[in-house]
Amino acid sequence: MGRYALRRLLQAIPVFIGTTFLIWFLVWGLPGDPFAGRCGERQCPASYVQSMTDKFGLDDPLPVQYLNYLTNLMRGEFGQTFNGTDIGELLAQAFPVSIKLALVAVAAEALIGITAGVLTGLRRGSFIDNLVLVSTLVLIATPIFVIGLVARYSLGLASVSPEAPLVELIIPGLILGSGSLAYITRLTRVNLVENRRADYVRTAVAKGLAPGRVTGVHLLRNSMIPVVTWLGLDLGALMGGAIVTEGIFNIRGIGGLLFDSINRRQSGVVVSIVAILVLVYLIVNLLVDLLYGVLDPRIRYE
């Protein structure tokens, strides 16, 4: 497993460089004035444009600009916005909030989604099965901003405080993960129903194992691989895609920061957020791949 993990880490390096360079090129390389709107409705003075161009090295070829950014990134320096604000400080304020919000959402997906999936998978065709299927269909079909607004005003919820304590993030986290929760429920149910027909499950039942052991050790464990894959990929998606939920509950997380940065053309902030999200995806994917071997001992890391 150690050699496999090392090989995956080495494979992640070109993926990280290629992805971040693509984002860098899309943000900085496409035609357009990077300082448009910086001076209000009038055009910026030529002296201002020249000084900003020199400060951020925008006259250098694009690969040179990217290499300079990558070198600074390796030292933990994210650079500055056009206003002179340290990007690292902005990320340090926003990322912990988004990480907590995403973890609450993933925990709700795992706890509620898997439990509901097991119940419906074991009671296929029952009243609870039909009720859960209809409920998940409603969650999938309803836009998240509708769920968020209905929950906020029907429950009388206030905005989340700037410190964003965990207890205030429970409801926003449930709303953020509501769509994926429905998919997790259906995914668990389908895999459970399919695996109940497998030979190893029939063998376990024929050997006289207790129903709880058959379900927990043999059936559920082998049904979790696609669910774990979904949960792992969802963690990164929830961190970068929480713009709507953060906006409804006034949460100062990474989604809101990304939205504001795009509107204000703060390209350095956008690239830095995407670079960190790429890292999160790569690390979570590696952890998910390593977890496959724990869930199914037949999987070998060669």
Side-chain angles (χ1 to χ4, degrees), residues 109-127:
E109 293 172 19
L111 185 64
I112 302 174
I114 293 175
T115 303
V118 171
L119 287 175
T120 54
L122 295 177
R123 294 178 171 80
R124 187 184 181 194
S126 65
F127 171 75

Side-chain angles (χ1 to χ4, degrees), residues 6-301:
L6 180 61
R7 189 167 71 247
R8 287 294 308 274
L9 285 173
L10 293 176
Q11 290 172 350
I13 295 174
V15 173
F16 176 78
I17 293 176
T19 309
T20 51
F21 179 75
L22 178 63
I23 298 300
W24 180 273
F25 175 77
L26 292 174
V27 171
W28 291 104
L30 295 181
D33 181 7
F35 307 114
R38 305 300 310 163
C39 303
E41 296 182 355
R42 59 187 175 85
Q43 190 173 7
C44 290
S47 58
Y48 171 81
V49 173
Q50 187 59 50
S51 66
M52 294 295 283
T53 301
D54 294 340
K55 179 180 179 181
F56 290 94
L58 300 183
D59 276 342
D60 295 333
L62 206 61
V64 174
Q65 293 182 41
Y66 174 72
L67 284 177
N68 290 334
Y69 173 76
L70 203 60
T71 303
N72 292 330
L73 196 63
M74 294 300 106
R75 295 198 294 254
E77 299 173 3
F78 293 92
Q80 293 182 340
T81 65
F82 292 141
N83 299 327
T85 305
D86 187 80
I87 295 176
E89 291 182 4
L90 295 176
L91 298 179
Q93 293 170 1
F95 256 104
V97 177
S98 288
I99 289 174
K100 284 193 290 185
L101 182 62
L103 288 178
V104 169
V106 170
E109 293 172 19
L111 185 64
I112 302 174
I114 293 175
T115 303
V118 171
L119 287 175
T120 54
L122 295 177
R123 294 178 171 80
R124 187 184 181 194
S126 65
F127 171 75
I128 188 72
D129 182 28
N130 291 314
L131 179 64
V132 170
L133 285 178
V134 171
S135 301
T136 54
L137 186 61
V138 171
L139 285 177
I140 293 171
T142 308
I144 194 167
F145 72 89
V146 175
I147 299 175
L149 289 174
V150 169
R152 173 161 188 179
Y153 293 112
S154 61
L155 299 176
L157 299 175
S159 299
V160 173
S161 56
E163 296 78 14
L166 198 59
V167 66
E168 295 185 15
L169 294 176
I170 291 177
I171 298 298
L174 282 171
I175 293 167
L176 177 63
S178 58
S180 294
L181 187 153
Y183 284 113
I184 291 290
T185 301
R186 286 174 168 253
L187 202 57
T188 305
R189 177 186 179 275
V190 168
N191 281 284
L192 213 66
V193 170
E194 184 65 29
N195 286 331
R196 288 185 75 181
R197 307 191 190 100
D199 291 339
Y200 66 89
V201 174
R202 287 203 293 263
T203 302
V205 174
K207 287 168 65 177
L209 297 181
R213 183 172 176 79
V214 173
T215 301
V217 176
H218 298 280
L219 190 55
L220 184 58
R221 187 174 173 180
N222 287 283
S223 302
M224 284 296 100
I225 289 181
V227 176
V228 168
T229 304
W230 182 285
L231 288 172
L233 295 176
D234 209 31
L235 181 62
L238 290 174
M239 288 180 62
I243 297 174
V244 174
T245 307
E246 290 182 2
I248 292 173
F249 292 96
N250 196 24
I251 299 171
R252 299 176 182 178
I254 211 68
L257 179 62
L258 182 62
F259 183 73
D260 289 341
S261 301
I262 293 173
N263 281 338
R264 296 175 183 176
R265 301 175 68 88
Q266 294 290 356
S267 305
V269 181
V270 175
V271 174
S272 297
I273 290 174
V274 174
I276 293 180
L277 289 178
V278 169
L279 268 180
V280 170
Y281 269 111
L282 292 175
I283 293 172
V284 171
N285 265 328
L286 174 60
L287 295 177
V288 168
D289 285 349
L290 295 178
L291 196 56
Y292 287 162
V294 178
L295 293 172
D296 189 347
R298 294 172 298 179
I299 296 177
R300 293 287 182 267
Y301 299 105

